[in-house]
Amino acid sequence: MAVLRRVARPLLASKFIRDGYAAVRNPVPRDSSGRTGNDPGVVRLASRVSFLPDDPEQLARVQGAVQLGAGVLLALGRAPRLASAALAVTLVPAALAAYSDGAAEDPGERSARRAELLANVSLLGGLLIAAADTHGKPSLAFRTRHAAGHASDALTHRAHAVADRVGDVTDTAVHGVTDSVAAARKHLP
């Protein structure tokens, strides 16, 4: 499985590295079909999120930098889950914009939009799988539940040990009192 990851990650990252490099080098915003212009979905997203720049060229450069950086990290296998999640986030506006611009009149353009949407959705699926891949190791949630179970078992064991000790001390005290009462009865007339 490790060999498969070493081959699959660079293959998945290659498109994002290429697109990110192109966007950083020449930050001309492109619409969902690749034509030069403003992508309405990305521009709408930028207007709603305060930390994203309003300038379309600067926004294209930021998106390209994220795609380039995360693509390189994914290809190298460094922080692959985080890199895959970052790439998935950059892919969502493009996937939404590819099909939300309204119905195209030309059947060829409609078919091209559908193909682009399916390609983006396929890439998104691959990125989600890569983001969830734990390399065969248990997930953080499983490890947390497992550690909590161990802590609970250890605490239960400790509580039983203390209860046994308290019980032993109590038994000793009861036996001591019983012996004292028996001794006192012997001395009484």
Side-chain angles (χ1 to χ4, degrees):
M1 197 62 144
V3 174
L4 180 63
R5 283 186 188 95
R6 287 183 188 226
V7 172
R9 285 181 182 150
L11 291 175
L12 182 60
S14 63
K15 177 198 182 307
F16 296 103
I17 293 171
R18 183 203 63 195
D19 291 351
Y21 178 74
V24 169
R25 190 160 183 224
N26 184 17
V28 177
R30 300 187 181 277
D31 67 6
S32 58
S33 63
R35 296 183 307 263
T36 302
N38 293 337
D39 187 342
V42 175
V43 171
R44 278 192 302 256
L45 178 67
S47 67
R48 291 181 183 163
V49 179
S50 63
F51 61 86
L52 290 177
D54 291 332
D55 180 30
E57 280 189 22
Q58 195 175 13
L59 183 63
R61 185 169 282 176
V62 167
Q63 184 176 7
V66 170
Q67 286 182 340
L68 178 62
V72 168
L73 286 174
L74 180 62
L76 295 175
R78 305 283 185 216
R81 296 179 74 189
L82 180 63
S84 298
L87 290 172
V89 168
T90 66
L91 191 61
V92 169
L96 291 176
Y99 216 65
S100 67
D101 292 340
E105 297 295 325
D106 181 29
E109 184 179 345
R110 196 175 318 131
S111 177
R113 280 187 184 182
R114 190 175 305 119
E116 182 182 355
L117 174 68
L118 291 175
N120 285 336
V121 168
S122 298
L123 282 171
L124 183 60
L127 289 170
L128 292 176
I129 289 171
D133 182 26
T134 61
H135 309 276
K137 298 174 187 168
S139 68
L140 181 60
F142 175 83
R143 289 183 288 177
T144 303
R145 284 191 308 270
H146 194 67
H150 277 298
S152 174
D153 291 345
L155 186 61
T156 302
H157 178 70
R158 197 54 109 160
H160 284 294
V162 168
D164 289 343
R165 202 118 196 239
V166 168
D168 291 344
V169 169
T170 305
D171 287 343
T172 304
V174 168
H175 288 304
V177 170
T178 305
D179 292 342
S180 297
V181 169
R185 280 190 185 167
K186 287 182 185 176
H187 293 332
L188 287 176

